[in-house]
Every structure is written in structure tokens, then in C-alpha cells.
Amino acid sequence: DAGVIQSPRHEVTEMGQEVTLRCKPISGHNSLFWYRQTMMRGLELLIYFNNNVPIDDSGMPEDRFSAKMPNASFSTLKIQPSEPRDSAVYFCASRPTGTPNEKLFFGSGTQLSVL
Amino acid sequence: GQQLNQSPQSMFIQEGEDVSMNCTSSSIFNTWLWYKQDPGEGPVLLIALYKAGELTSNGRLTAQFGITRKDSFLNISASIPSDVGIYFCAGSGSSNTGKLIFGQGTTLQVKP
């Protein structure tokens, strides 16, 4: 079975540009999570969805960040405008229906560099 | 907010040695988990602990949920080169939210 699929794997952009990160969760999983990983702050939860509905976005750093989940098989995380401090690895994770919330399956991440 | 203190920050050991790392928290968790992250990949769940005092093994890995519910440790016995990576503890204070709090990670290097 395919795992959580993220694209692109690497993104290099200039400050001020719009960045869109994409995620396809594992089929049948009803919860989706966006995490950010940096050396300074480690792994931080940005937002998560249950059944395509955003449940908690308290981790989203600023209004420049937005996330959508238009259907059960696709989610995007958008940064507009991007800034150098947004450089990090962004992970998407999904969780099977009816299992303990901790059993998250992570994608391989998107390495974002904002110059 | 809740924070996890994970130690040591890094370890460099000889193949065959045993490894121990731990996590402590200032608040109680209902669940403790240990993840491993290989370079260029996302974290992968190794062990999940759901009950205070619980001791669980997964091959050469053993983890325990502290009695106080504020700490956990992970042991790796007879380390091998493929154990190299970053190990994260994570805690959950409530159910069905997925709001895991992650430790800062322990980077393990194994010398063949």
C-alpha cells in the first residue's frame, strides 16, 4: 500500500512568493495532520483535520499560513507570502479511522527553503 | 504549554553496545510513544505505551511508561548500524486529538 504522499519533496523559493505543499493521505484514513520540523523548535503541529474539517489550527504560526482539505484524499498547506523563517521540513501525517490517535503515519516531508 | 525534555541530545556508540534514552515532562501524559526518523524521511512509530508502568518490547527495543506518567525511557540492545537515526519521544495528554507533543530528539550514531 502507498503511504502518505507529499509533494514536492524539495521546494526552493524566494521571499514573498507563494508556496503550496500537497499531501495525499493513506486511503481510508479520516484524520490528517500538518507538522513542521526545524532544528530550533523540533516537530510542531500546525493544524489537523477530522473528516476533512479543520479541528485545531492553533499551531498555525500566522495568517500567512492556510490549509485546506477539499476531500478525503487531498490536502494543501499554503504560505503566502513566504519568508526565510518559514524554511523547514513540513510533514503531513494521517491516522486510520477508529485507532488510537497516536498511530500517525508520516509522509516523507517537503524540504522548504525560502531565500 | 506542555514540553518534553529528551536526553541525551546525541549519542555515538560502538556496534553491539546497548543504548538508553529518556524523556521527562512537567505534566502528566496518557500515552507515551517512541518514533524513529531516518534521514530524509518522516518519523516512524516504534512503540506505543498506554498504561503507567507498562513495559513493552519490539525486537531489540524496550520502552517503559513511567509510574508517575511524567516520563518514559527507550532501550536498544545490541545496537547495529541500521539503528542510526533520530529517536523522538512523544506524549499525548488526551485522546482522539492527535495532538502529540514531541521531544527534541536523540541522534544516534553507531560505529561499525
Side-chain angles (χ1 to χ4, degrees):
Chain A
D1 288 341
V4 175
I5 300 173
Q6 291 186 246
S7 63
R9 285 299 307 269
H10 303 274
E11 176 81 27
V12 180
T13 190
E14 291 186 345
M15 181 174 63
Q17 296 297 307
E18 177 180 296
V19 174
T20 299
L21 311 181
R22 297 173 176 79
C23 176
K24 177 179 169 54
I26 295 173
S27 177
H29 288 196
N30 72 330
S31 297
L32 183 141
F33 306 80
W34 282 101
Y35 281 85
R36 178 172 68 176
Q37 185 176 37
T38 61
M39 288 293 292
M40 290 296 295
R41 301 175 68 88
L43 274 161
E44 303 173 279
L45 177 64
L46 300 177
I47 185 172
Y48 75 95
F49 297 82
N50 273 353
N51 296 316
N52 313 338
V53 176
I55 301 301
D56 187 340
D57 65 355
S58 60
M60 296 286 262
E62 307 171 24
D63 291 344
R64 297 184 296 106
F65 286 69
S66 62
K68 293 182 180 180
M69 192 164 186
N71 57 62
S73 59
F74 184 66
S75 176
T76 59
L77 178 67
K78 186 176 294 187
I79 308 173
Q80 167 63 23
S82 59
E83 296 182 4
R85 60 193 168 121
D86 301 331
S87 298
V89 181
Y90 291 82
F91 287 104
C92 175
S94 68
R95 171 168 64 100
T97 304
T99 63
N101 60 300
E102 301 80 13
K103 288 188 181 294
L104 298 181
F105 291 78
F106 284 82
S108 297
T110 294
Q111 174 83 56
L112 174 64
S113 297
V114 182
L115 307 178
Chain B
Q2 292 178 312
Q3 287 188 327
L4 292 182
N5 296 312
Q6 186 172 348
S7 64
Q9 199 169 14
S10 62
M11 302 181 74
F12 191 94
I13 63 171
Q14 196 78 30
E15 181 178 1
E17 290 183 356
D18 296 343
V19 173
S20 184
M21 58 193 79
N22 68 81
C23 259
T24 59
S25 169
S26 58
S27 54
I28 289 174
F29 284 112
N30 294 329
T31 305
W32 282 94
L33 306 110
W34 287 91
Y35 283 82
K36 182 192 178 195
Q37 185 177 21
D38 291 326
E41 299 296 330
V44 174
L45 181 65
L46 298 174
I47 292 180
L49 302 159
Y50 299 104
K51 191 184 300 184
E54 181 180 355
L55 184 71
T56 297
S57 293
N58 178 7
R60 293 178 297 105
L61 278 59
T62 302
Q64 183 157 31
F65 192 142
I67 290 292
T68 64
R69 296 166 64 190
K70 292 184 178 181
D71 65 313
S72 176
F73 72 75
L74 174 71
N75 287 341
I76 305 173
S77 62
S79 58
I80 59 178
S82 61
D83 290 335
V84 165
I86 305 176
Y87 292 79
F88 291 96
C89 63
S92 174
S94 58
S95 62
N96 298 321
T97 65
K99 294 191 73 171
L100 293 179
I101 309 297
F102 281 85
Q104 291 297 314
T106 295
T107 300
L108 177 64
Q109 297 186 59
V110 180
K111 184 178 181 181

